[in-house]
Amino acid sequence: MIVKREFGSVYGKPVYEYVLSNKNQMNVGILTYGATLRTLNVPGKDGRLTDVICGYDDIKSYVEGDGYQGAVVGRYANRIAKGRFTLDGEEYSLFINNGVNSLHGGEYGLNTKLFAVCENDKNNSIVMTAVLEDMEEGYPGRMMVEVTYTLTDDNALKINYRAKSDKKTIINLTNHSYFNLSGYASGSVLYHTLRLDADSYIPTDDTLIPTGEIKSVDGTPFDFRTEKRIGQDFYSEDNDLKIAGGYDHCLNFIGGETEEPVLRAELKDAKSGRVMKVYTDQPCVQLYTANFMNNSAYPFKGGFAQHTQNAVCLETQHMPDSINHDGFTNVVLDAGEEYNYTTVFAFELM
Ligand code: BGC
């Protein structure tokens, strides 16, 4: 079932929230602003629904607050060094919004767009579209972006990302939700366990830009191939963790991208009994333990204060700053070529 309601306004236009619910009463709220996942109410072992993502009660916080809460980010999710890249001999420079780098599409990335929505009641899905103009934020190519959210009756939220550009460009799209399976207002996420199908990761410099190295997870805190508590190695003496103040790294899935979404990550919370399985066809995931989530000016839903490590992001994507490193994943999209990836967050009980 899909219910639409108004959620304030931006740019002098109304913002809407679409609430999709399934036969188990699981429901998700999605804003037309940034195609933002605002609420994700999932049943726990006590039979009760709890909202397992951070987010705000009002549109103003989404516009002014940082952290890209729940938003779809792009046209290039993650960082591009000094906001510079070269494509076919042409140099491009992007808006610098993160120290010396460009992050998540620049000043007015996809997370700030008002998406148009087409409802599909039969599939319990909404198709959201936005346009990024040629040279907007410095990127070449007028790009049509289409994000489809589907809520299934077996408690899975499926997100399909499609895009096409009229000129050769670069692209990296993801959803920036912050998860805590006990509920966003329940404290540290370091007690959750995580398994990740990743055998290497990307170390960064102190501006969080890849050094260029692709490093094996063997013997490092980045080895999640066997499930472990997120907190297990969180405070260990590891230079890469220290630089980022926690996990804020791209981990590379074994074998790279796939034809169809496959199971790549499992997040578990013994307290609530919730399990979140992540299926994707993307080659990597940015594991981010909300190391900067501490903006006291923008409390979360119900007035709950922000706190570092109270949630974790699993941003399925391509490698950061790929365009500036040999041997990184291909993020170039040709004119007229279709970009098409899917990530599924599937919920179960332990
Ligand atoms: C980045 C973080 C950044 C966060 C919010 C994440 O994807 O990896 O470094 O602080 O987004 O902006």
Side-chain angles (χ1 to χ4, degrees):
M1 190 175 70
I2 304 176
V3 175
K4 176 184 175 184
R5 67 167 186 122
E6 231 176 282
F7 191 83
S9 62
V10 286
Y11 319 129
K13 292 183 181 145
V15 174
Y16 295 99
E17 180 171 45
Y18 286 79
V19 179
L20 280 53
S21 33
N22 70 8
K23 69 168 201 282
N24 313 315
Q25 270 70 57
M26 175 178 164
N27 63 77
V28 303
I30 299 152
L31 301 179
T32 51
Y33 182 73
T36 299
L37 197 56
R38 194 183 79 85
T39 55
L40 179 54
N41 289 298
V42 182
K45 67 179 175 197
D46 58 1
R48 307 236 311 246
L49 291 175
T50 298
D51 191 352
V52 299
I53 57 165
C54 302
Y56 310 108
D57 278 328
D58 58 288
I59 191 64
K60 188 168 175 274
S61 300
Y62 281 98
V63 174
E64 294 173 7
D66 50 8
Y68 301 81
Q69 291 293 333
V72 168
V73 291
R75 122 174 24 189
Y76 199 91
N78 218 317
R79 292 178 175 80
I80 295 184
K82 312 234 161 50
R84 278 194 225 127
F85 69 97
T86 305
L87 194 59
D88 284 346
E90 200 74 41
E91 273 191 41
Y92 295 95
S93 60
L94 309 171
F95 188 83
I96 304 297
N97 60 340
N98 188 253
V100 295
N101 303 315
S102 186
L103 176 69
H104 295 330
E107 188 176 21
Y108 296 106
L110 272 180
N111 62 298
T112 69
K113 299 292 167 194
L114 266 187
F115 283 68
V117 175
C118 194
E119 294 176 48
N120 184 331
D121 286 285
K122 204 172 123 262
N123 295 344
N124 209 17
S125 70
I126 54 172
V127 183
M128 313 184 78
T129 50
V131 175
L132 299 173
E133 297 298 339
D134 185 24
M135 293 314 290
E136 189 174 339
E137 293 292 333
Y139 296 93
R142 182 172 198 268
M143 182 183 272
M144 276 286 301
V145 177
E146 188 182 287
V147 180
T148 304
Y149 283 97
T150 306
L151 179 63
T152 69
D153 274 333
D154 52 3
N155 291 359
L157 178 66
K158 179 171 162 187
I159 314 177
N160 174 246
Y161 306 88
R162 285 171 202 244
K164 245 180 207 178
S165 166
D166 64 356
K167 284 192 192 134
K168 196 172 187 174
T169 189
I170 60 170
I171 181 169
N172 194 23
L173 304 181
T174 193
N175 177 280
H176 211 294
S177 288
Y178 291 70
F179 297 97
N180 184 318
L181 298 182
S182 269
Y184 71 88
S186 68
S188 177
V189 84
L190 296 182
Y191 301 100
H192 285 34
T193 60
L194 179 65
R195 188 189 67 76
L196 278 182
D197 197 14
D199 55 2
S200 66
Y201 76 102
I202 299 181
T204 67
D205 67 14
D206 60 5
T207 74
L208 302 184
I209 286 292
T211 58
E213 186 189 1
I214 295 179
K215 193 170 169 181
S216 165
V217 298
D218 260 336
T220 75
F222 297 87
D223 193 349
F224 285 92
R225 288 173 297 184
T226 307
E227 142 184 325
K228 67 175 179 188
R229 266 189 310 110
I230 298 178
Q232 184 177 300
D233 301 322
F234 190 82
Y235 298 105
S236 63
E237 284 299 313
D238 178 90
N239 199 38
D240 291 328
L241 277 182
K242 286 238 160 85
I243 287 176
Y247 292 104
D248 192 354
H249 297 82
C250 178
L251 283 97
N252 310 312
F253 294 132
I254 297 166
E257 69 173 67
T258 50
E259 282 290 310
E260 297 294 323
V262 293
L263 180 61
R264 291 299 204 175
E266 273 179 271
L267 184 68
K268 289 186 188 165
D269 170 40
K271 200 159 63 162
S272 68
R274 290 186 185 87
V275 177
M276 184 175 84
K277 293 186 173 170
V278 184
Y279 297 79
T280 191
D281 47 10
Q282 292 259 28
C284 314
V285 64
Q286 181 83 6
L287 173 63
Y288 174 51
T289 45
N291 313 322
F292 299 111
M293 195 170 78
N294 57 5
N295 190 337
S296 56
Y298 298 97
F300 291 144
K301 292 165 272 196
F304 190 79
Q306 297 198 17
H307 199 285
T308 52
Q309 278 89 57
N310 272 6
V312 63
C313 298
L314 293 166
E315 307 159 47
T316 54
Q317 58 186 266
H318 271 263
M319 293 177 178
D321 200 31
S322 248
I323 190 73
N324 292 314
H325 300 275
D326 291 333
F328 276 26
T329 57
N330 174 38
V331 293
V332 174
L333 186 72
D334 278 324
E337 189 191 348
E338 192 190 49
Y339 172 95
N340 187 346
Y341 285 103
T342 299
T343 293
V344 182
F345 297 108
F347 293 89
E348 293 173 11
L349 291 176
M350 282 167 118

